[in-house]
Amino acid sequence: LSVLKRSIELDPTFSSPMFLIGSILVSQYSYKKALDYFMRAHKVVKIEKQKEEIERNIILCCSRLNRKVESY
């Protein structure tokens, strides 16, 4: 995780490490933290297919946290 976090520090507009960290956190059942990374990735992602995948993960995290999916 430290390498991925460092890559975000170096380029805060690079969505891939944000998505990867979010995915790792989902696998660890850390949905709140994962949601934060997916939301950050959603703000900067430029490729539509990746945006759709991020949106699916946002919905997953919200459902696991019993939260209403807010507009993102």
Side-chain angles (χ1 to χ4, degrees):
L1 285 175
S2 61
V3 172
L4 293 172
K5 287 179 181 180
R6 180 69 178 137
S7 66
I8 295 168
E9 289 174 11
L10 294 172
D11 185 357
T13 65
F14 187 34
S15 63
S16 293
M18 295 174 205
F19 178 80
L20 290 172
I21 292 172
S23 299
I24 290 167
L25 291 168
V26 163
S27 73
Q28 297 172 347
Y29 308 103
S30 296
Y31 299 111
K32 185 173 183 191
K33 289 180 184 177
L35 180 59
D36 291 339
Y37 278 97
F38 289 134
M39 295 295 284
R40 288 173 61 189
H42 191 267
K43 288 179 184 175
V44 297
V45 69
K46 294 178 176 45
I47 300 170
E48 189 61 33
K49 187 170 175 86
Q50 290 175 345
K51 186 174 229 175
E52 292 169 5
E53 183 66 24
I54 292 167
E55 289 171 356
R56 283 192 290 275
N57 280 282
I58 290 171
I59 292 168
L60 169 75
C61 289
C62 287
S63 69
R64 296 291 192 250
L65 293 168
N66 294 316
R67 287 190 184 172
K68 192 175 183 181
V69 178
E70 300 171 14
S71 59
Y72 36 81

